[in-house]
Amino acid sequence: MESAPTLVRATLTAYLEDARSGIRQTLGDYFSRKMFDLRGIGAWGSDVALRLHEFSAGGKMLRGALVLLGADIFSRERDGEELKLSAAVELLQSALLIHDDIMDRDMLRRGAESVHAQYRRLGAAIGVGEPDRFGESLGICAADVAIFAAFEIVASLAVPGSILAAVTAMCSREMTYVGAAQMQDVTFGHSPRAASEEEVQRLCRYKTGRYTFSLPLSLGGLLAGAPERSLEALSQAGERMGVLFQLKDDEIGLFGGPGETGKPGGSDITEGKQTLYHVRMVRAASPSQRRRLARILGNQGANDREIEYVRSLVMELGVRDELSAEMTRLAEEAHALADTIYDASSAGLRIVHEIIEYNLRRGR
């Protein structure tokens, strides 16, 4: 007999796979049309359309799937507009990832070359003078194209004007939050000043928490005409889910290898990423441990033994146990908030609860 977690994974996997299939098709249709529009500009128009399509279609498409779920919670019969909005959200995600990889100097994404690394390699092949700068510059441009393409798709939604205005405003507002939070994150990575726990918590909320779950779920609810109080409950549940998602990502980034993260092992350590694991570990460490940490955190040349020391210290100081308990609390709050959503379908809510549980236990 299958265990409960296995059944949850099976149900959730089927839902997400169905969503991905529809979003991939929608992205393919959009870029097939866009290819004709962009290729008249020059060779880079066709290139960026192909590259963005491949990059966006290769992701997990969680955010796009959550747009569909936000509508499904309220039993909206799909008419294609939810899929278009899902595709737009995935293009926004692609843009953020491309920019993020440039800022973090990550040459890998999802186990393959990041977009700016692809352009760097292409630049070297055609003999440009500065392949690194060329790759980063074209990567920035590609991400910009993805953002404006996303809003082009949003503008094309065949929905009442009031809903279109609300969707556009919500996307714009949440993306500005992400941008401002990213600036804070970059500052943390470059400044010798240690971030406070409150600052890191705000970063979790505005860089990832709201954007990853609250935004797509609420967008789907808007398309479905959900009542205001239900949208608020969905947004609040999504925010808890998103902070949980970020904490789990930080845990995986700290302890996982390339197979789990798609990035070099220990990259969060060598980048000096100021997560809650980082902040609490440094706060709890002894003076001698802090001195050793100062030589490792943010050191791109840190070796495997030094990376393992940081991982061991997080365990030894009880930080991993503390944050594991915090993730459990966030999951419980998200479950409770989801149950207050008015006029929700039982099938849609069941998927929400399954996502919360999966998020708590996922390993990648």
Side-chain angles (χ1 to χ4, degrees), residues 49-231:
L50 286 169
R51 216 170 289 270
L52 285 176
H53 181 203
E54 181 179 325
F55 185 75
S56 300
K60 296 176 182 176
M61 300 191 180
L62 171 63
R63 292 159 187 82
L66 290 174
V67 173
L68 300 179
L69 178 58
D72 288 344
I73 287 171
F74 301 99
S75 300
R76 175 186 167 98
E77 187 154 342
R78 296 184 189 175
D79 58 9
E81 302 312 297
E82 297 89 348
L83 280 168
K84 287 165 64 178
L85 186 51
S86 296
V89 168
E90 284 302 320
L91 283 174
L92 292 176
Q93 168 67 355
S94 292
L96 292 174
L97 292 178
I98 293 168
H99 281 159
D100 206 44
D101 287 340
I102 293 169
M103 287 180 274
D104 292 343
R105 299 176 181 173
D106 280 332
M107 308 308 287
L108 290 176
R109 171 64 66 177
R110 300 168 181 153
E113 280 185 311
S114 52
V115 169
H116 76 283
Q118 295 173 34
Y119 280 126
R120 184 188 70 161
R121 175 171 48 79
L122 181 58
I126 63 177
V128 301
E130 297 180 77
D132 286 345
R133 184 169 175 79
F134 177 84
E136 290 177 358
S137 297
L138 264 64
I140 291 169
C141 293
D144 291 345
V145 171
I147 292 169
F148 292 113
F151 279 100
E152 180 181 43
I153 293 173
V154 170
S156 75
L157 293 174
V159 297
S162 60
I163 292 180
L164 180 59
V167 166
T168 304
M170 183 178 288
C171 285
S172 301
R173 182 185 68 241
E174 296 298 330
M175 286 295 285
T176 60
Y177 288 167
V178 174
Q182 179 67 13
M183 293 172 77
Q184 185 65 69
D185 196 21
V186 170
T187 302
F188 288 159
H190 286 78
S191 172
R193 182 183 72 83
S196 69
E197 181 159 332
E198 181 185 0
E199 286 174 320
V200 174
Q201 287 175 334
R202 283 204 303 267
L203 187 66
C204 284
R205 180 185 181 195
Y206 289 107
K207 182 183 173 184
T208 305
R210 292 179 59 84
Y211 162 70
T212 302
F213 285 87
S214 290
L215 173 62
L217 286 169
S218 297
L219 289 173
L222 275 173
L223 286 191
E228 185 62 35
R229 64 174 176 173
S230 292
L231 284 175

Side-chain angles (χ1 to χ4, degrees), residues 237-252:
E239 190 170 298
R240 268 70 168 187
M241 293 163 72
V243 174
L244 165 59
F245 181 87
Q246 182 60 61
L247 289 177
K248 179 60 71 170
D249 251 18
D250 289 340
E251 180 184 57
I252 295 167

Side-chain angles (χ1 to χ4, degrees), residues 267-279:
S267 61
D268 283 1
I269 295 170
T270 59
E271 289 163 12
K273 187 176 179 183
Q274 297 205 43
T275 66
L276 280 179
Y277 289 90
H278 177 126
V279 171

